[in-house]
Amino acid sequence: MKEQTSIPKHKLGRAASLAGAGAKVGFNYLRYKGKKVLTGKDDKEKFHERTAADTYKAFSKLKGGPLKLAQMLSMDKHMIPEQYSNEFAKAQYSAPPLSYPLVVKTFQREMGKTPTEIFDTFTNKAAAGASIGQVHKTEKDGKTYAVKVQYPGVADSLHSDLALVKPLAMRLFQMDAKALEPYLTEVEEKLLEETDYVLEMERSVQMANDCQHLEHTCFPSYYPEFSCKKIITMDWIDALPLDQYAASDAPQEEKNKIAQAIWDFYGHQVHTLRVFHADPHPGNFMVKDGELWVIDFGCVKELPEEFYQRYFRLMLPEVYENKEKLTPALYDANLLLEEDDEHAVEKLYGLIQESIILLSRPFLNDRFDFGDSTFFQELADFGERSRNDKELQSLNSARGLADSLYLNRTYFGLYNLMGILNATVDTTKDVAQVTA
């Protein structure tokens, strides 16, 4: 993969990069419409493929906020066309890396030394790259480490970047400003936290301690003496990223064991700790010798008790099957608003109830087969219908409690991890502690 030798730092240069991406989107659209007029063929899939590739190329050059938005959207497969979620998935751990001289500059600025003055060996090429940093393999005194180095200027340009990305994203995904705003707000809030590697290290150690009893679940050790706010050092885990493991010839029984470990990890966090790893994409999980490794705690979210009760009450069959109980619960969760007229309430009630029934299905029985593609097809069909519903778009005020955005995205990501493993898991080991 070709390395970047620089990142546009100034607002004008970053704006120019995004403007170039916007121009390519416009050109692709004109080519698509022209071909449709001339041939009568609706080649929308090709349009989305080209546009997704051009957009990802621009976002990956800028790193930071734009690339994090791509990473987030890649997990929300119900929300955007498949071509974008597939292309944007590269942001999970295979983004184009920065060149070694830029890494050296970061070390000199943050640690006062070059990498080779601290470590015995330090690979010039990154082993992996994501939205805000890249990982290098190092050795010192016979021990192997993974060193994550933050891209320069990520935090400084975050706010202006997202303001520039907004019009392009609205055009690409046919989302209005109100629908997109929660995503941009989330990116800004959480990415600012993710740029503090000292905070990430503290959270990682705490989460590893709180989850050490879980079967088949492992965590690397962290090394503060080789870390700072922009550099974090941990054990090197010689393992397969989860998506590569899922595609391997490992026996399905073992894949089910790994999936169960992931499911139990999230059940314990959400229902017992009330704080959870909010970035469940395949790049944050690895498998070695039949054991799960969790390697990144940059994005962690706490669950306030009041929100927890409101959210999981909706998942109870005795609530979502009873209109007299579900209606006030939807107002309580800010999914129905006082200003909604009777028609809007009827429209939204049916849609939200359908989504709750669909998303809570894995919890209805003791075990659930995520290898059954019909479940994911139903999710995709529901997302497609919702996305193309013009009446629904007109009702698309900011709805739901702010914390629900993190939890919704986490469960969609969790379902996706189960799906790529074709796993059957016990879904009732940790259950919501709420009453109707």
Side-chain angles (χ1 to χ4, degrees):
M1 187 182 299
K2 188 177 179 180
E3 294 180 334
Q4 280 183 234
T5 57
S6 66
I7 297 178
K9 290 185 178 179
H10 300 295
K11 186 175 180 179
L12 188 60
R14 296 178 75 81
S17 294
L18 288 170
K24 285 187 177 181
V25 171
F27 175 74
N28 289 342
Y29 184 74
L30 289 174
R31 182 163 57 178
Y32 154 68
K33 293 296 285 185
K35 185 175 181 180
K36 185 177 180 181
V37 170
L38 291 172
T39 66
K41 295 180 179 179
D42 189 350
D43 198 7
K44 187 175 287 187
E45 288 194 6
K46 198 69 177 177
F47 161 70
H48 284 316
E49 285 176 10
R50 290 194 186 102
T51 304
D54 288 339
T55 304
Y56 177 73
K57 185 176 180 180
F59 284 9
S60 63
K61 181 180 178 182
L62 294 172
K63 313 295 187 193
L67 198 55
K68 188 66 180 180
L69 180 64
Q71 185 188 92
M72 284 177 56
L73 289 170
S74 75
M75 293 164 59
D76 285 342
K77 296 181 181 296
H78 67 295
M79 183 177 176
I80 62 175
E82 180 182 8
Q83 293 85 350
Y84 296 93
S85 60
N86 290 341
E87 186 73 20
F88 290 177
K90 295 177 182 177
Q92 293 168 3
Y93 64 86
S94 57
L98 292 185
S99 65
Y100 183 64
L102 289 177
V103 173
V104 172
K105 285 184 179 179
T106 299
F107 263 84
Q108 289 174 322
R109 183 178 63 251
E110 300 296 330
M111 303 286 283
K113 295 180 179 180
T114 66
T116 52
E117 288 176 325
I118 298 174
F119 300 97
D120 298 335
T121 65
F122 190 98
T123 55
N124 286 11
K125 291 188 176 181
S131 55
I132 67 169
Q134 62 190 43
V135 176
H136 291 259
K137 187 177 183 180
T138 73
E139 289 186 3
K140 185 175 178 65
D141 299 330
K143 183 172 178 59
T144 308
Y145 300 92
V147 179
K148 184 163 66 172
V149 184
Q150 193 172 126
Y151 301 132
V154 168
D156 297 337
S157 61
L158 185 57
H159 184 74
S160 59
D161 275 354
L162 295 179
L164 292 167
V165 165
K166 187 174 180 178
L168 178 60
M170 289 171 61
R171 181 175 183 180
L172 277 176
F173 310 127
Q174 298 179 332
M175 297 168 65
D176 65 18
K178 288 181 179 178
L180 187 62
E181 192 62 37
Y183 281 82
L184 299 180
T185 301
E186 179 187 3
V187 169
E188 185 167 357
E189 290 178 356
K190 299 310 290 182
L191 192 52
L192 280 173
E193 289 185 11
E194 289 187 56
T195 58
D196 185 349
Y197 284 174
V198 173
L199 177 62
E200 178 179 342
M201 185 163 53
E202 291 172 354
R203 285 172 165 173
S204 301
V205 172
Q206 183 65 54
M207 190 66 77
N209 288 336
D210 291 341
C211 297
Q212 61 181 336
H213 66 286
L214 296 174
E215 289 186 325
H216 310 300
T217 306
C218 309
F219 307 89
S221 296
Y222 292 80
Y223 301 90
E225 65 270 30
F226 304 135
S227 304
C228 62
K229 195 169 183 178
K230 305 295 182 185
I231 297 168
I232 186 169
T233 300
M234 66 193 81
D235 290 332
W236 174 269
I237 310 301
D238 193 11
L240 283 177
L242 191 69
D243 54 350
Q244 293 181 28
Y245 170 77
S248 74
D249 59 0
Q252 187 59 49
E253 182 179 358
E254 182 181 280
K255 291 179 180 178
N256 286 347
K257 182 183 76 173
I258 294 298
Q260 189 68 60
I262 298 173
W263 188 271
D264 293 346
F265 172 61
Y266 274 96
H268 178 63
Q269 292 175 93
V270 170
H271 299 304
T272 301
L273 302 178
R274 305 289 172 87
V275 57
F276 63 98
H277 178 292
D279 206 7
H281 65 70
N284 283 340
F285 299 91
M286 305 185 83
V287 180
K288 178 182 180 181
D289 299 330
E291 300 288 289
L292 173 73
W293 286 82
V294 187
I295 61 171
D296 191 312
F297 285 93
C299 187
V300 170
K301 183 78 176 91
E302 295 183 3
L303 287 174
E305 180 63 23
E306 184 179 5
F307 164 74
Y308 177 90
Q309 294 293 330
R310 289 178 175 181
Y311 184 94
F312 283 102
R313 187 177 295 120
L314 296 173
M315 299 292 191
L316 298 174
E318 57 265 40
V319 172
Y320 65 68
E321 292 176 352
N322 185 324
K323 191 169 186 177
E324 290 184 359
K325 290 185 176 181
L326 181 57
T327 300
L330 293 179
Y331 279 106
D332 196 36
N334 210 35
L335 291 166
L336 292 178
L337 306 176
E338 294 299 333
E339 59 265 30
D340 292 332
D341 61 27
E342 185 177 345
H343 176 73
V345 169
E346 183 179 355
K347 170 80 175 179
L348 290 165
Y349 180 92
L351 189 77
I352 296 169
Q353 184 187 46
E354 182 183 356
S355 71
I356 293 171
I357 292 172
L358 183 58
L359 293 173
S360 62
R361 189 182 300 169
F363 299 94
L364 291 180
N365 298 300
D366 290 344
R367 296 180 67 77
F368 190 80
D369 180 11
F370 286 94
D372 181 0
S373 62
T374 58
F375 174 66
F376 291 97
Q377 188 59 55
E378 286 183 63
L379 285 175
D381 291 345
F382 179 80
E384 183 73 15
R385 279 192 288 113
S386 301
R387 208 165 47 240
N388 295 322
D389 189 325
K390 299 299 183 184
E391 184 181 3
L392 181 62
Q393 290 176 17
S394 69
L395 300 172
N396 204 8
S397 302
R399 295 178 185 273
L401 302 167
D403 291 309
S404 63
L405 185 63
Y406 299 91
L407 198 53
N408 287 341
R409 187 167 69 92
T410 295
Y411 271 104
F412 275 114
L414 178 60
Y415 288 1
N416 180 53
L417 297 182
M418 300 297 100
I420 65 174
L421 289 165
N422 288 314
T424 299
V425 296
D426 175 1
T427 58
T428 58
K429 190 172 182 180
D430 288 285
V431 296
Q433 300 166 22
V434 296
T435 60

